[in-house]
Amino acid sequence: MLYFAAKGREELKPHLIFLSILSLSYLIPFFLTGQLITRPNDLLEKEIVCDHILGMLYKGDFQSVKLLLGGELEWYMMWRVFQPLSLLYGILETEVAFWTKDIIVKIFAYILFFKLAKKLNCTNFNSALSACLFACYMTQTELGLGLAASPYLIYLLLKNKDLKLKHYFTIIFIGLNLDLVRHGSIMPMMFLASFILFPKNQKYNFKLFFKIVLVLSFFSFLSNSNLIYSLIFSGPFHRSEILPNYSDLVTNLNNLFRNFFSIPIIEGNPYFFRNLPFNISIFSIVLISFFSKNKTSYFLLLIVFFISFFEFFSQLEFFANIKNNSTGLIKTLNWHSLIVTNLPLLHALLFVNITKAEIAKVTKYFVYFLLFLSIFLFQIRLSAVPIGKHFMSFDNLDSKKQNQLVQLFYSVNYNSLIKEMIKLRKDKTKHLDQTFKSKYTFQGYYDYENYKFIKSLVGASRTISIGLDPMVAVMNNINALGGYYNMYPLSYKFKFRKVIEKQIDHYQELKKYYDNWGHRVYTFVKDPSVIKIDFSQAKLLGAEYVISKYQISNKSLIPVCENCNNASDLFLYKINI
């Protein structure tokens, strides 16, 4: 914030406006529910649990990593071990550490993109608006500073001056907090974007580019050295067995068009509302850039198209066969994710560029309306659904009413959905004053109180989870088989498959997922009448207890507690084999 301290009052106003808007994503859920809300997918399921274990390692508990994957995951196989920002988990409580890192990354994104926009001769207001939009695009702050700090690297190249000590320190800090697997592609993108935006009356400074890349690469390789070591000395990993899916040509062409213009599938899309702010902002920016008659915009659009085309190409059978028959990083890296990472930067740069084009005079009110709408929607994209469910007491409704509301949501019939919510709100028989509990929060997802009770019963024994996320057990310091990991030994995948072999034979899609992808090492029980887990194989992997969402009748299991801690969907059994 010191960057803005010396600015005049008028120049400071846009920052106060847009930083206040960004704060709404924290303030709205906190004031309405008393908790902060985030996404369960990938984040609560995996990333935060692994960062929690890192925090325990930093505090000196070197055995904590044995809580993961039945004790067969080593610390050097984990992401972000050497990232300085990960130290927050060793200093602060896990939830506080996550939100602190989230805020730090978004502030970095805002400030650094603002500097770049100003360098591109954008007005103070438009620079702040584009910076706010770019910060909104930071939906994976757990990964570190790579994408968030990329505008600064482009700024240094456009500045075209010798690097000073402060610049080197900043580049080093960015490199140390860069996820090489997910954000490594920002380096070639840094070159492409800076080359396109470079003043036409100056000669591109390749020497400066290579100097920045050299420093950034060295320290990013240093902070990711544990993963490099693992790949060289500790394989093979489950990623070597990944078989990518592919689609037919017509489907791929349709997806190419949709992805380029960010046109969503509406009917039956459970993520429609969550992705709506992306769709609104990107569609309007790309569409106006098309008619801008501006060469710089067209070059940036060309890069966006190439990324979309790569996504199209990667879904073809031809590409899938090449990847499946390859070895090493060609097969194991998620190339699609690595390349698509750069789109938020390109879309924000496109907006900066069209604000200076002639078309901006005609379309500015239309663009501003859509961008302000999308920026506001960004602040509620995750919290709207859990807060809405809370205020209509969704969990207390009968299954018929729940299914009706879910169907209205998936069909994007929001008008009828809102009417039903108002009707339920007026129904005084519903327990609308119930305590807020949601899988979108730390407390709701990790179920601390109930798992504390389970921990008191199982102690240091190893467990297997049925119908429940095994990473929840890990988060509560309970030894667990399975889990959700970016990288783990292939040998464990085969061992665990023996536990779930009959279970996944019953569900061909889940069988295909586990065998061809396998990031989630789950028991895949979703129906209490279909539990075909081989508990003798689980016992061989060290499991002594079963934590279950369902009541299980099996001669190999002895009930320890049913409706544990008065929870209706929590059961504990001891494996008796």
Side-chain angles (χ1 to χ4, degrees):
M1 298 304 293
L2 292 176
Y3 178 82
F4 306 119
K7 300 294 179 180
R9 180 177 296 180
E10 289 302 313
E11 290 187 339
L12 194 60
K13 280 183 180 178
H15 302 304
L16 294 176
I17 293 171
F18 291 113
L19 289 174
S20 296
I21 292 174
L22 286 174
S23 70
L24 293 178
S25 64
Y26 309 103
L27 297 178
I28 290 174
F30 182 77
F31 283 120
L32 291 178
T33 70
Q35 299 181 54
L36 297 179
I37 290 174
T38 189
R39 71 181 195 279
N41 310 79
D42 295 339
L43 190 55
L44 291 171
E45 289 176 326
K46 174 186 58 173
E47 303 291 355
I48 289 173
V49 181
C50 291
D51 286 341
H52 170 73
I53 296 297
L54 289 183
M56 296 175 71
L57 286 172
Y58 298 148
K59 294 173 185 176
D61 185 357
F62 300 112
Q63 292 302 310
S64 60
V65 72
K66 298 302 179 184
L67 297 172
L68 299 164
L69 203 72
E72 295 196 28
L73 196 76
E74 302 295 340
W75 67 268
Y76 50 80
M77 299 176 186
M78 298 177 68
W79 259 241
R80 300 183 293 278
V81 173
F82 297 134
Q83 277 195 15
L85 284 178
S86 293
L87 291 172
L88 289 169
Y89 288 88
I91 300 169
L92 305 171
E93 186 270 330
T94 299
E95 183 173 3
V96 176
F98 167 74
W99 290 115
T100 302
K101 183 177 179 180
D102 185 72
I103 292 169
I104 289 172
V105 172
K106 286 182 178 177
I107 288 178
F108 258 82
Y110 181 88
I111 294 176
L112 298 181
F113 196 91
F114 178 81
K115 285 176 68 72
L116 174 60
K118 290 293 288 182
K119 183 64 183 175
L120 292 171
N121 299 317
C122 201
T123 65
N124 200 57
F125 180 83
N126 285 334
S127 295
L129 174 57
S130 60
C132 180
L133 182 65
F134 184 65
C136 288
Y137 287 154
M138 297 298 106
T139 58
Q140 291 184 299
T141 57
E142 71 276 7
L143 299 182
L145 287 177
L147 179 61
S150 57
Y152 180 74
L153 305 174
I154 298 172
Y155 164 81
L156 290 178
L157 288 166
L158 297 181
K159 192 177 180 182
N160 197 20
K161 293 182 179 180
D162 291 337
L163 298 177
K164 296 180 181 179
L165 191 60
K166 64 178 182 179
H167 299 135
Y168 281 111
F169 278 130
T170 306
I171 296 170
I172 289 170
F173 187 69
I174 294 169
L176 289 174
N177 287 284
L178 189 150
D179 186 325
L180 201 57
V181 176
R182 273 74 164 263
H183 289 161
S185 62
I186 69 166
M187 285 183 261
M189 186 55 60
M190 172 181 70
F191 167 72
L192 288 173
S194 61
F195 191 81
I196 290 170
L197 297 169
F198 207 77
K200 301 300 181 284
N201 60 344
Q202 296 182 34
K203 186 178 180 181
Y204 190 81
N205 194 338
F206 285 97
K207 182 180 178 180
L208 178 61
F209 168 74
F210 286 116
K211 195 179 291 184
I212 292 173
V213 168
L214 185 64
V215 176
L216 187 69
S217 299
F218 177 80
F219 285 96
S220 61
F221 274 95
L222 189 65
S223 68
N224 290 269
S225 58
N226 61 300
L227 297 179
I228 298 171
Y229 172 87
S230 297
L231 290 170
I232 296 173
F233 298 108
S234 300
F237 293 99
H238 84 284
R239 301 183 76 94
S240 63
E241 292 281 303
I242 287 177
L243 296 176
N245 295 321
Y246 57 85
S247 306
D248 61 80
L249 183 61
V250 174
T251 302
N252 271 333
L253 287 171
N254 181 48
N255 290 338
L256 173 62
F257 178 79
R258 286 183 177 276
N259 290 337
F260 182 70
F261 286 101
S262 192
I263 300 174
I265 296 173
I266 299 177
E267 188 73 23
N269 181 4
Y271 300 110
F272 174 78
F273 183 79
R274 186 186 299 187
N275 294 332
L276 187 58
F278 289 100
N279 301 138
I280 293 173
S281 59
I282 294 171
F283 178 79
S284 58
I285 289 171
V286 170
L287 186 64
I288 293 172
S289 296
F290 243 109
F291 297 99
S292 65
K293 297 180 181 180
N294 181 281
K295 287 185 179 180
T296 302
S297 293
Y298 289 154
F299 278 124
L300 291 172
L301 276 176
L302 190 61
I303 300 176
V304 173
F305 177 78
F306 278 139
I307 291 174
S308 299
F309 184 79
F310 181 84
E311 192 173 359
F312 159 81
F313 184 72
S314 68
Q315 295 298 313
L316 294 176
E317 183 179 3
F318 169 73
F319 181 86
N321 289 334
I322 292 175
K323 192 172 183 182
N324 292 341
N325 294 321
S326 301
T327 57
L329 292 178
I330 294 176
K331 183 173 185 177
T332 58
L333 268 184
N334 187 343
W335 292 97
H336 160 259
S337 178
L338 184 65
I339 302 299
V340 170
T341 295
N342 295 291
L343 287 175
L345 173 66
L346 291 168
H347 289 133
L349 286 173
L350 275 169
F351 172 69
V352 169
N353 205 59
I354 61 176
T355 60
K356 299 181 293 180
E358 285 297 317
I359 197 170
K361 297 177 182 178
V362 181
T363 62
K364 66 178 181 178
Y365 295 113
F366 171 73
V367 175
Y368 285 152
F369 170 75
L370 290 179
L371 289 188
F372 270 97
L373 175 63
S374 66
I375 286 172
F376 176 74
L377 289 175
F378 267 115
Q379 313 317 312
I380 60 170
R381 58 185 285 268
L382 293 177
S383 60
V385 170
I387 291 175
K389 289 173 69 175
H390 170 63
F391 279 100
M392 64 178 169
S393 193
F394 183 84
D395 292 336
N396 291 332
L397 302 176
D398 59 68
S399 59
K400 183 179 179 180
K401 176 59 72 173
Q402 287 184 351
N403 291 333
Q404 178 193 355
L405 294 172
V406 169
Q407 188 59 41
L408 289 173
F409 180 75
Y410 282 177
S411 62
V412 199
N413 190 349
Y414 294 145
N415 185 45
S416 298
L417 180 62
I418 292 171
K419 288 180 179 178
E420 287 295 326
M421 290 174 63
I422 294 172
K423 191 185 299 181
L424 289 168
R425 180 63 177 163
K426 291 179 179 178
D427 188 346
K428 301 301 182 181
T429 65
K430 305 301 175 188
H431 305 291
L432 294 172
D433 59 342
Q434 63 179 318
T435 303
F436 177 73
K437 186 175 182 180
S438 170
K439 293 293 185 181
Y440 284 72
T441 68
F442 276 68
Q443 290 184 34
Y445 194 86
Y446 296 126
D447 202 8
Y448 293 119
E449 286 301 315
N450 289 329
Y451 271 80
K452 182 180 180 181
F453 180 78
I454 296 294
K455 174 66 175 176
S456 70
L457 298 175
V458 303
S461 299
R462 193 158 289 146
T463 65
I464 184 170
S465 296
I466 303 293
L468 297 166
D469 183 353
M471 297 298 268
V472 174
V474 173
M475 191 67 174
N476 287 278
N477 301 326
I478 297 173
N479 282 276
L481 299 185
Y484 183 12
Y485 305 97
N486 295 313
M487 185 172 76
Y488 64 89
L490 179 62
S491 59
Y492 189 86
K493 181 180 180 181
F494 295 146
K495 291 177 188 177
F496 195 84
R497 198 187 190 286
K498 295 178 181 178
V499 178
I500 62 172
E501 186 170 8
K502 293 180 181 179
Q503 184 72 25
I504 58 177
D505 280 344
H506 190 80
Y507 300 103
Q508 288 304 307
E509 279 301 312
L510 291 176
K511 181 178 181 179
K512 183 179 178 182
Y513 166 82
Y514 188 81
D515 290 340
N516 296 352
W517 191 253
H519 282 17
R520 286 178 169 86
V521 190
Y522 292 172
T523 51
F524 300 111
V525 175
K526 54 183 181 180
D527 182 346
S529 65
V530 184
I531 301 178
K532 299 183 177 183
I533 303 302
D534 191 330
F535 293 108
S536 62
Q537 289 294 331
K539 182 76 172 181
L540 290 176
L541 289 180
E544 296 182 45
Y545 289 91
V546 175
I547 306 173
S548 178
K549 181 180 181 180
Y550 312 110
Q551 188 173 30
I552 305 174
S553 178
N554 189 298
K555 63 182 181 180
S556 300
L557 303 180
I558 300 174
V560 177
C561 70
E562 297 185 341
N563 303 127
C564 304
N565 202 36
N566 296 319
S568 61
D569 55 355
L570 190 61
F571 302 82
L572 181 67
Y573 301 91
K574 186 172 179 61
I575 301 177
N576 183 36
I577 297 175

